[in-house]
Structure formats: C-alpha cells, structure tokens
Amino acid sequence: MDEQSLKKLRDWFKKNAAKLPWRPADLDAPRDPYAVWISETMLQQTQVSTVREYFIRWMKRFPDVETLAKANEEEVFKYWQGLGYYSRARNILKTAKTVSQFPNSRKELEALPGIGAYTAGAILSLAYHQREAILDGNLVRIFSRLYALDFLPTESRDAAEIYWNYAREVADSPKAYMHNESLMELGRIVCKVKNPDCANCPLRNACRAALENRTAEFPPVKKQAPKDWHGTVLIVESADHKILAVHGGQKFFKNQFTLPHFESPRNATAGLPAQAERYVDADKVLSVENIGKFRHNITVHKMECDVLYIRLNGKATAPASSEIKWIRREQAQDFFANNFSLKALERLLHRTDKP
Ligand code: SF4
C-alpha cells in the first residue's frame, strides 16, 4: 500500500477510532502487552460490544500477569464464562504461570500456549511498537478487496504468504501499530462482510474491487469439500398410473414439487422403508422394487440414490394437503422441474421389464 493511502488510513483512524476500554485516548501511546494479549484473545470470534464488559471485569480482578498467575482455573473460568472457547482461558492461565514478563520477540511469543501469529503480531506492534504484521479476518477481507485476490490464505502456503506479504508491507513502518489497528477497525466498521461502505472508506481510490464495482466477489467464498450423500428416491405409482409428487418436507427442493426422497444407508434392506409410510398406506402396497441407481450433484453434495418403485393396488385418492399431488405417468416428465426427479423417473420410464 503506498504512503498516500497509509496516511489517509491513519487520518481516518484518528477521526473514527471507537473508544474502547483497551484503547488509550492517545492512539500513539505504547500499550500494556498484558492488556493487548487479553483483549485480542477475548476478541477472537467474539464481538467488540460483548468483549467490552468482560474485559473491564477481567482487568479489575486480574490487572496484571502476576495476579493472574496466582489465580486458579475455576476462578479464571468464572471470569471467562460467556465468552466460550474455554481452552483460551486455560491457555491464558498456563501462559501467565510461565511468564513473569512478556517476551518481546515473535519466536518467544508464539512458543507460548494459545498465542499464534496474529496475537503475537498484535502484542509486538501495539505494545512494543515493533514493525510486526498481523493478519486476521478483517485484514484478509480488506486485502482481498484492495488487490482483487480471488483466493483465501487458507488455500495453500503460497496463498498465505501473499496475504502475509501485504500485511508486512503495511507493518514496515514506524507507525505499524497504527496501520494494523486502523485496518482492524476499518474492517469492523467500514469494509464489512456485507455491504462495505466504500463511499466513506479512506482506501477507496486504491481499492480494485471498489473501482471495478466488484466488492461482492471478494473475498471469494470458501470452497467447501464435496460431501457424499446417499439417499433413496421414491416413485409411488397408483393403480390408475399416477405418480406421487410432494412439495416441502424434503432434504432438497424445498420450494418445488419433487419426488419424495430421504437419506439412507447404502445397501438398505429391501421392503417398504418407514419413511415411505408418510405417503402410502402399507396395506395398499402391491410391490416394492429397487429399479436402479443414479448420481447427481447438488451444491456440495455428491449424491448417489437408489430408486424405489412402489406400486399401489388402489387408485390415487384425493390428496389430504396441497403439498401432495398425483401426476399422470405420461405427464410426469413435463411436470417435474428438477433433474434430480427426472433422473429417477428415467429409471422407471426406460425400464425394459415394464410391469
Ligand atoms: S473501498 Fe470498499 S471494498 Fe475497498 S477497502 Fe474500502 S470499504 Fe473495503
């Protein structure tokens, strides 16, 4: 980021910095490393508004690392209760018992329980005014948008290095402490996840995503690993050749008519599954037959489905609710609007051994 942008960022921060119990009025004053450590640990995954009171209470009871080191786990948990992630409180206590003074090097800090690259960077820059970088969710979002990075740092070592290099560039200044904190604040109140307020952002003239009107594209949505899903699709046919369609109450296609389906284990035992009894009276079932399988992908689900063909010995009766319809067999392919149902129907319609 060029010096002009960094200056705009600092000026914006000086004007807009929220009053927070862990932030002294003099934004250039070095902080107490203990207070930075406690506040940054509390802030991981928890909103600033929630942390405020917890931090004040904590600092009254445990104002420094020596006091904390003498406390027992039970009491520490009591002061942490409501912030969740008790492992953090446990690590804080463990660290307090091992250090009498806070180390001032990244290597030593990161060796302590519960202190990772982010917290170490925050302590070193905010408390010791060292040129140390930080990278949290706010900074990732800002860098992704500023430089139109269409990947996340979690995707690979190289990807993480690219983000960290941008973070180091910002921190390579005697004002690293202010650059780091300004970016965290900017991410929290301006460059928000949804609807970033670009019109009021000090970086708008340097931001590729904003200049190209593509802020919604960055950061990219985390690619989810495909999930295997095995299910059963029911084709229920009445004696007068009508096929049952359902609307709602299904795993997929909640807003349209589909064939009934549910998750089931591979090699499910033959016979009428209990889930089918929601739609058919077991006494009216003439036959139940597995007529094949098909594969289908929906969102992250890699699906494999068995198609169960259930023939009834009676005619289709008037449906008890608007969520059920009987469709004439010859009209079924035109009726269903999802490929999932159509693939299942194909197993029936293209069968050579038709009943
Ligand atoms: S201009 Fe918009 S998208 Fe870019 S950093 Fe600022 S708020 Fe975020």
Side-chain angles (χ1 to χ4, degrees):
M1 202 181 301
D2 60 28
E3 183 45 42
Q4 202 187 8
S5 300
L6 288 171
K7 173 152 186 345
K8 284 184 187 170
L9 180 67
R10 291 193 299 269
D11 291 345
W12 171 86
F13 184 60
K14 285 176 199 161
K15 251 196 231 160
N16 294 281
K19 283 199 177 81
L20 298 171
W22 51 88
R23 182 178 284 163
D26 177 2
L27 297 173
D28 286 306
R31 314 269 172 91
D32 169 11
Y34 171 73
V36 174
W37 171 48
I38 298 298
S39 58
E40 290 303 329
T41 309
M42 285 184 171
L43 283 165
Q44 286 165 28
Q45 316 275 342
T46 311
Q47 301 257 334
V48 166
S49 53
T50 309
V51 169
R52 233 178 244 268
E53 294 311 312
Y54 278 92
F55 178 79
I56 293 170
R57 240 167 34 107
W58 180 284
M59 293 302 280
K60 260 192 202 151
R61 171 63 190 91
F62 312 114
D64 47 44
V65 74
E66 295 79 19
T67 313
L68 179 60
K70 288 182 204 138
N72 62 36
E73 201 171 85
E74 199 185 340
E75 194 188 5
V76 166
F77 279 1
K78 210 177 89 196
Y79 279 78
W80 196 268
Q81 196 172 12
L83 287 169
Y85 303 97
Y86 283 92
S87 58
R88 286 194 198 141
R90 188 172 288 126
N91 280 334
I92 282 180
L93 185 58
K94 256 196 226 162
T95 292
K97 286 183 189 291
T98 48
V99 293
S100 51
Q101 244 206 327
F102 256 89
N104 61 2
S105 79
R106 189 176 273 277
K107 199 172 162 203
E108 287 171 287
L109 279 170
E110 288 186 16
L112 295 170
I115 298 190
Y118 167 78
T119 312
I123 295 171
L124 294 171
S125 65
L126 299 180
Y128 298 114
H129 281 196
Q130 292 184 18
R131 297 181 178 212
E132 284 288 343
I134 59 163
L135 188 65
D136 73 344
N138 288 312
L139 274 82
V140 165
R141 188 164 60 256
I142 294 171
F143 291 145
S144 170
R145 288 172 174 165
L146 277 179
Y147 306 111
L149 304 177
D150 61 356
F151 53 85
L152 294 170
T154 45
E155 286 176 25
S156 66
R157 244 170 218 242
D158 289 347
E161 201 47 29
I162 289 171
Y163 275 90
W164 272 103
N165 281 341
Y166 282 123
R168 287 185 198 114
E169 187 183 86
V170 166
D172 187 15
S173 154
K175 293 273 183 191
Y177 60 95
M178 191 173 282
H179 297 162
N180 288 346
E181 205 179 15
S182 312
L183 286 172
M184 287 192 270
E185 193 87 333
L186 189 77
R188 195 168 69 79
I189 61 181
V190 175
C191 194
K192 292 175 285 188
V193 177
K194 280 189 188 159
N195 304 322
D197 184 8
C198 301
N200 291 308
C201 176
L203 304 179
R204 63 185 175 280
N205 293 331
C207 177
R208 261 189 71 186
L211 293 170
E212 294 171 13
N213 212 7
R214 296 167 62 205
T215 54
E217 289 174 41
F218 303 100
V221 180
K222 197 174 168 184
K223 288 180 198 103
Q224 273 184 281
K227 286 185 196 156
D228 285 332
W229 190 88
H230 190 271
T232 299
V233 185
L234 304 178
I235 300 182
V236 180
E237 186 170 24
S238 61
D240 52 347
H241 302 298
K242 286 182 181 165
I243 286 173
L244 181 82
V246 292
H247 192 290
Q250 304 297 304
K251 167 84 177 161
F252 300 105
F253 312 107
K254 295 188 182 354
N255 299 316
Q256 57 179 282
F257 275 100
T258 183
L259 290 171
H261 55 270
F262 51 88
E263 189 164 11
S264 61
R266 269 192 182 80
N267 310 318
T269 46
L272 187 71
Q275 291 90 333
E277 293 190 34
R278 192 171 151 195
Y279 308 105
V280 296
D281 179 347
D283 292 339
K284 295 186 178 156
V285 171
L286 187 67
S287 63
V288 178
E289 193 186 345
N290 188 325
I291 58 171
K293 288 182 192 302
F294 70 93
R295 289 181 185 280
H296 192 74
N297 293 341
I298 297 178
T299 60
V300 295
H301 296 95
K302 274 176 73 181
M303 308 161 78
E304 187 187 60
C305 296
D306 280 304
V307 183
L308 222 54
Y309 176 41
I310 301 171
R311 288 170 65 208
L312 305 181
N313 58 18
K315 287 185 177 181
T317 49
S321 88
S322 60
E323 293 187 343
I324 286 182
K325 259 189 188 173
W326 288 99
I327 311 300
R328 299 190 65 76
R329 179 196 260 248
E330 63 274 19
Q331 291 169 349
Q333 277 180 305
D334 294 329
F335 175 79
F336 289 105
N338 57 73
N339 276 332
F340 174 81
S341 296
L342 293 174
K343 280 184 185 174
L345 271 177
E346 267 174 30
R347 297 292 166 281
L348 175 70
L349 303 176
H350 298 139
R351 237 159 44 121
T352 46
D353 53 338
K354 287 180 188 168

